[in-house]
Amino acid sequence: MDPDWLCFHSDPSAPAFRLPAGAVDAHCHVFGPAAAFPFAPERKYTPCDAGKDKLFELRDFLGFERNVIVQATCHGRDNAALIDALRAAGGRARGVVSIGPDIPEAELKRMDAAGVRGVRFNFVRRLVDATPREVFLDIARRIAPLGWHVVVYFEAADLEDLAPFLNSLPTPVVVDHMGRPDVGKGVDHPDFRRFVRLMEENEAIWSKVTCPERLSLQGPPYDDVVPFAARIVERFPDRVLWGTDWPHPNMKTHMPDDGALVDHIPRIAPTTASQRKLLVDNPMRLYWAR
Ligand code: 0GY
């Protein structure tokens, strides 16, 4: 583990907000354990172990029914820890993997049977070496016939350049953490308006309204992030997802209390109807349609 790595919260609080029945934590990861699932040689960080047992324990403690596990960059394109977690979850987890364009068809089918429903394209330079867009497009064409989608992670400053590529993808596209807005600039800044416009103009684009702890400049209780997520939930109630982001890779300022993160949900989705869409209907439609 990196010397400055912060491990996940060892004793999260019980949330006061009661999640609706069937709620999905639609953005979380597994790290190792390294002894069973070694980290990738090309990784940019070495985390603490955070395996499936801990993830499922947290799921039950917080009151979630299901997880969507997203391949973390510390495992590169080796999705073994994720697939192992999906198999152990007994239908209660789906996965988003990292793959190359020449992955054998049989391997895609094996992943699909395990519960994989998407691929992740990462553009964040501190996390990965760049992949050419043609390669990503080839991958998207390979997975589209399976009914999978693409999850993208990028920084707000890169959206203008990336938008034509995102609009060219042949699948639904889920944007991690609202495209990482600079919350210091405010919701009416052209950068965030560009993201809202992208969602307005392309109904295939979804957003995870996740990671207040990562985007906040103020720290808990993350008041400065609320207007951003609330705006996206209000405008696009049928295309938003929520997740804990456990075990919170690369959090250097503090480690969030996962119970407090759940208590953040009613601040960004104030009505029962919007909470149900965000936590149940939307993730079920995208990940458990079959
Ligand atoms: C996140 C955010 C981060 C890391 C990763 O795969 C990853 O390594 O996603 C980050 O460092 O911002 O969504 O977990």
Side-chain angles (χ1 to χ4, degrees):
M1 161 174 141
D2 292 334
D4 62 345
W5 190 264
L6 295 185
C7 202
F8 54 89
H9 203 294
S10 59
D11 187 23
S13 56
F17 174 60
R18 253 191 83 202
L19 291 161
V24 181
D25 175 354
H27 185 89
C28 51
H29 311 284
V30 285
F31 296 158
F37 303 106
F39 299 119
E42 73 274 21
R43 69 190 180 279
K44 306 288 185 198
Y45 61 83
T46 304
C48 61
D49 280 342
K52 62 179 185 292
D53 298 341
K54 292 275 178 206
L55 175 65
F56 299 155
E57 206 177 287
L58 182 75
R59 174 197 67 196
D60 296 344
F61 175 74
L62 296 176
F64 286 98
E65 182 72 27
R66 298 177 173 87
N67 295 110
V68 179
I69 307 174
V70 177
Q71 175 74 351
T73 57
C74 56
H75 279 297
R77 285 181 184 169
D78 177 354
N79 300 282
L82 185 151
I83 300 286
D84 173 70
L86 296 186
R87 294 210 168 112
R92 292 174 66 188
R94 294 289 191 245
V96 175
V97 291
S98 291
I99 58 173
D102 38 22
I103 185 169
E105 194 62 27
E107 180 65 4
L108 284 180
K109 295 231 164 80
R110 195 179 67 88
M111 288 178 164
D112 186 78
V116 173
R117 295 293 181 267
V119 291
R120 193 180 198 201
F121 297 167
N122 203 321
F123 296 92
V124 178
R125 281 173 279 273
R126 71 185 157 79
L127 292 174
V128 284
D129 296 326
T131 299
R133 288 178 198 181
E134 311 81 68
V135 172
F136 279 146
L137 202 51
D138 284 347
I139 296 170
R141 290 194 186 111
R142 292 281 319 273
I143 58 98
L146 291 162
W148 293 10
H149 60 271
V150 171
V151 172
V152 282
Y153 193 22
F154 58 82
E155 308 272 3
D158 295 327
L159 176 57
E160 187 171 11
D161 176 50
L162 271 177
F165 167 75
L166 300 180
N167 285 325
S168 76
L169 291 170
T171 66
V173 177
V174 180
V175 178
D176 279 343
H177 321 329
M178 301 181 280
R180 289 196 63 108
D182 176 348
V183 300
K185 292 177 171 168
V187 275
D188 292 318
H189 187 275
D191 284 356
F192 193 61
R193 281 169 49 183
R194 180 177 292 117
F195 180 63
V196 172
R197 206 164 53 243
L198 178 82
M199 289 193 72
E200 270 167 7
E201 291 173 355
N202 185 344
E203 291 196 351
I205 307 230
W206 294 48
S207 176
K208 290 181 195 162
V209 286
T210 31
C211 284
E213 75 285 4
R214 206 176 275 293
L215 301 174
S216 179
L217 302 173
Q218 296 172 353
Y222 316 125
D223 294 345
D224 50 346
V225 190
V226 171
F228 292 82
R231 180 163 293 186
I232 299 293
V233 171
E234 209 237 320
R235 291 266 186 101
F236 310 104
D238 298 310
R239 288 188 272 146
V240 283
L241 301 170
W242 192 88
T244 54
D245 194 31
W246 187 91
H248 310 288
N250 299 306
M251 281 299 295
K252 302 291 188 212
T253 51
H254 69 292
M255 183 49 58
D257 171 342
D258 297 281
L261 285 178
V262 169
D263 282 338
H264 192 78
I265 295 172
R267 303 184 68 199
I268 63 169
T271 67
T272 312
S274 62
Q275 291 160 8
R276 211 194 133 74
K277 287 181 176 203
L278 175 65
L279 296 162
V280 185
D281 299 346
N282 298 345
M284 290 307 286
R285 199 163 76 249
L286 197 60
Y287 289 97
W288 274 271
R290 61 186 165 88

